[in-house]
Amino acid sequence: MTAIGKRAGRSAMLADPAPTGWQVLNRFTLGSDTAIQITILAVTLAIWQISASRLGMEFWISSPAGIWRAFGKWAANGVMLGDIRTTIIEAGIGFVLGSSIGGLVGFVLGWVRRLGDIFEPFVIAFYTLPKVALAPLFVLWFGIGMGNKIMFATLLVFFMVFFTTFQGTRQVDRDLVSNARLLGASRWQIWTKIALPHASVWLFAGIRIGLPYALIGAIVGEFIAAENGVGFRIREATSFYDTSAVFAGLIVLMGISMVCLAALKIIETRALRWQNVRDLTPAG
Amino acid sequence: MMAAVADDVTVTELTPEFSFTDVSVRFGSFVAMGPATLEVRQREFLVIIGPSGCGKSTLLNLAAGTLQTRTGSVLHRGAPLRGINHDVGYITQKNYCLPWRTVEANVRLPLEFRRWPAAKIKLRAAAAIAQVGLTGFENAYPKQLSGGMLQRVLIARTLAYNPSTYLLDEPFGSLDAQLRMHMHRELMRLWQTTASTFVFVTHDLHEAITLADRVVVMSGRPGRIKLIVDIDIPRPRDVVDIQSDPRFGAYFKTLWTALSDD
């Protein structure tokens, strides 16, 4: 009862009006964005298929039909699900570890001005280093099992989340803090009610930037040394000149990262609802 | 929270809300303000005017305890100030609303800081929001509000914890003239319903005469108290009619002269 009442009250003030039947229908008719997007995809696939078969380029660029067959083969011998699982576990654990450590360290160094000043040169030194160059070292440290990929994904995510949170948190309006102090806030309350909510915007931005890096970390790790995983399968297919299987692997990766980004988007819109509110009219 | 007020001081109706005695503020060898001596009476509406940079805001910062000085003394209800004074509300033209909190949650903020029970916070916040005419906007975010409404949120937030003094530093400086007059009307109504003292800083003479019981004129840097004028225009005052009152013109001239022979 209350939930419904609340929602109704809010939507009357802030939300879009519900789409009418006609508008829903219109979204899928010719000329709508969705229709155009589907057309672009279809035309691209057609050109790809034709240039592969008619121009004899299948060896280099494979073809949609060839990729479809590679998918079938990959799925049929039961290896695909195992590979996907390996890569997702590596990237997933790396993502969780990297973003929580990166977020925490970035927040603390960003908020405590002195600490931030002290550590800034080190931070910049690490920032300029292409992190991928560390991958061989990680094989040495953590072996060729999953541990190595998890650590590498953690490292990449950590840096992305850390930098964004650190830079963002530093930009807090200090007047907001002194005003809160004037309103009676204790030190602890300034952390929990001002600093953390302020930093959460940057933390989310960092996490969004860091998410693809979890997958990059896992894949690069698998490229260098691995026994299974999607990245390993791509490299294996390349060494057999099996372009179709390479593309199949790439499409799986694309699918994984799109699902992750969509999930993140949902969480983010809920947590940062205040950023996306619309103007009220008329203004008073 | 109110450690600033010592127990051994008896506060009567005659105890000044604030007494500044020979207060001056220096930054190094640079004298920013003073020496100045000023008594703010309980429940009065005091307006401070003066040229920019004369230390009007410095006086408010001293009262709020965000600025301390070793020369001279600042007493709040008879007791020396130590640290931040939590018994004042400070409103400037800057938007101090937390963007991630709704109007209601912003108003709740000082009460959450004071660890009031949730039910009491809810009631008080609703009352404060109603008092500034923002009922219906509880769930809106600051981003969605106009300048005048944001100012009302800040006033409601101060109202919620009922401080004994409101320190207002050009609070309506960024509003257009018409809206400003609306806000004057509401502020006077508010001042009459609370038992609080208002200290209002501005450089707008119309604003000063409309609102004040007394107007304090400060001189240019280093700011000193130059003149104090009692505004003898009966209340309740109408923000429009008061401008055609013959006394209004006379006060305007007095204050204008005092300001311009700096």
Side-chain angles (χ1 to χ4, degrees):
Chain A
M1 246 332 244
T2 15
I4 294 167
K6 231 182 200 167
R7 176 154 304 177
R10 185 184 293 160
S11 67
M13 198 163 70
L14 308 174
D16 290 306
T20 62
W22 172 248
Q23 283 168 322
V24 170
L25 194 71
N26 206 29
R27 278 187 66 181
F28 296 103
T29 49
L30 232 89
S32 74
D33 286 356
T34 319
I36 294 172
Q37 285 159 347
I38 290 171
T39 313
I40 292 174
L41 184 67
V43 169
T44 312
L45 286 179
I47 294 175
W48 189 353
Q49 184 66 47
I50 290 165
S51 40
S53 51
R54 295 287 158 84
L55 305 177
M57 293 166 70
E58 181 135 17
F59 174 78
W60 306 104
I61 61 167
S62 184
S63 70
I67 295 167
W68 184 250
R69 280 194 299 275
F71 259 121
K73 223 166 80 188
W74 194 12
N77 60 22
V79 182
M80 179 158 79
L81 278 184
D83 283 336
I84 293 178
R85 208 182 58 204
T86 303
T87 304
I88 287 184
I89 290 175
E90 291 162 355
I93 298 180
F95 173 67
V96 171
L97 281 180
S99 40
S100 39
I101 303 172
L104 188 72
V105 179
F107 171 61
V108 172
L109 290 196
W111 188 260
V112 186
R113 198 122 279 228
R114 184 86 199 281
L115 278 183
D117 289 341
I118 292 172
F119 281 96
E120 193 164 27
F122 304 110
V123 169
I124 290 171
F126 269 106
Y127 189 75
T128 52
L129 179 75
K131 264 71 70 183
V132 180
L134 294 171
L137 195 61
F138 272 56
V139 178
L140 194 69
W141 288 348
F142 303 107
I144 61 163
M146 271 170 98
N148 159 41
K149 285 91 186 172
I150 291 173
M151 292 316 289
F152 194 56
T154 304
L155 176 87
L156 293 192
V157 175
F158 168 84
F159 275 113
M160 296 322 290
V161 178
F162 167 76
F163 288 129
T164 319
T165 316
F166 174 68
Q167 298 289 1
T169 309
R170 287 201 116 190
Q171 287 168 20
V172 71
D173 185 351
R174 293 280 143 180
D175 283 351
L176 222 55
V177 177
S178 55
N179 186 253
R181 211 165 271 146
L182 207 62
L183 287 175
S186 65
R187 253 171 186 285
W188 173 248
Q189 284 168 330
I190 284 179
W191 279 83
T192 57
K193 291 189 195 279
I194 312 283
L196 267 177
H198 167 83
S200 69
V201 178
W202 301 100
L203 183 66
F204 270 106
I207 287 175
R208 198 177 37 209
I209 298 168
L211 186 65
Y213 281 86
L215 215 50
I216 293 175
I219 299 300
V220 169
E222 287 172 4
F223 277 177
I224 289 174
E227 282 148 348
N228 56 2
V230 180
F232 168 74
R233 214 54 69 187
I234 290 175
R235 206 189 55 138
E236 187 189 53
T238 315
S239 61
F240 293 135
Y241 302 106
D242 185 353
T243 334
S244 300
V246 173
F247 275 103
L250 292 178
I251 289 169
V252 166
L253 289 182
M254 206 186 278
I256 295 175
S257 55
M258 278 173 76
V259 168
C260 292
L261 268 183
L264 191 66
K265 191 81 205 153
I266 292 171
I267 300 170
E268 195 183 85
T269 1
R270 290 195 170 202
L272 303 179
R273 212 182 82 81
W274 60 273
Q275 282 207 314
N276 305 310
V277 287
R278 286 140 41 84
D279 273 350
L280 295 175
T281 44
Chain B
M1 271 299 165
M2 285 162 41
V5 181
D7 295 330
D8 55 345
V9 180
T10 329
V11 180
T12 69
E13 275 175 39
L14 293 174
T15 313
E17 184 72 25
F18 281 99
S19 350
F20 301 90
T21 314
D22 290 325
V23 175
S24 52
V25 173
R26 285 160 213 273
F27 300 105
S29 60
F30 167 75
V31 184
M33 193 209 80
T37 297
L38 175 69
E39 284 199 347
V40 181
R41 300 171 190 154
Q42 278 180 48
R43 303 192 63 169
E44 79 170 324
F45 203 128
L46 185 81
V47 175
I48 304 174
I49 59 172
S52 328
C54 72
K56 303 181 293 257
S57 309
T58 308
L59 218 50
L60 296 194
N61 291 334
L62 286 169
T66 52
L67 181 73
Q68 271 98 23
T69 180
R70 269 181 234 165
T71 39
S73 76
V74 183
L75 304 183
H76 181 213
R77 294 183 165 238
L81 272 181
R82 280 188 296 270
I84 286 176
N85 186 352
H86 293 298
D87 203 16
V88 299
Y90 207 136
I91 300 169
T92 68
Q93 60 178 289
K94 188 165 168 177
N95 167 23
Y96 285 114
C97 291
L98 300 182
W100 56 86
R101 283 179 165 240
T102 61
V103 166
E104 203 257 349
N106 263 294
V107 173
R108 259 184 359 226
L109 194 65
L111 310 180
E112 289 176 13
F113 288 156
R114 285 165 172 73
R115 300 183 195 285
W116 284 22
K120 205 175 155 198
I121 289 183
K122 209 175 164 192
L123 280 175
R124 180 59 80 82
I129 288 169
Q131 224 171 326
V132 298
L134 281 179
T135 308
F137 292 97
E138 289 89 346
N139 293 321
Y141 287 92
K143 218 178 145 181
Q144 301 173 286
L145 304 180
S146 64
M149 288 167 97
L150 282 175
Q151 221 48 25
R152 277 170 227 239
V153 177
L154 294 180
I155 293 173
R157 186 162 86 177
T158 312
L159 202 62
Y161 66 95
N162 191 30
S164 101
T165 307
Y166 286 65
L167 304 171
L168 304 123
D169 192 352
E170 299 190 43
F172 309 136
S174 56
L175 306 183
D176 64 66
Q178 201 192 346
L179 186 55
R180 201 189 263 224
M181 282 169 75
H182 271 293
M183 297 304 287
H184 289 159
R185 185 180 297 149
E186 287 182 28
L187 193 69
M188 282 195 283
R189 196 180 303 144
L190 185 74
W191 171 70
Q192 255 147 353
T193 54
T194 63
S196 306
T197 310
F198 281 40
V199 182
F200 191 108
V201 162
T202 181
H203 51 244
D204 178 340
L205 294 185
H206 282 102
E207 190 167 61
I209 302 165
T210 306
L211 298 173
D213 288 329
R214 294 194 299 154
V215 178
V216 175
V217 183
M218 288 182 76
S219 66
R221 198 177 288 145
R224 293 163 196 248
I225 312 289
K226 192 172 186 183
L227 179 71
I228 299 179
V229 181
D230 284 278
I231 306 295
D232 256 327
I233 301 176
R235 297 183 190 267
R237 297 173 183 168
D238 182 277
V239 291
V240 180
D241 291 347
I242 194 174
Q243 303 207 16
S244 48
D245 191 303
R247 288 166 289 189
F248 189 93
Y251 287 131
F252 193 95
K253 200 162 181 190
T254 314
L255 295 173
W256 178 261
T257 315
L259 274 179
S260 37
D261 55 48
D262 233 328

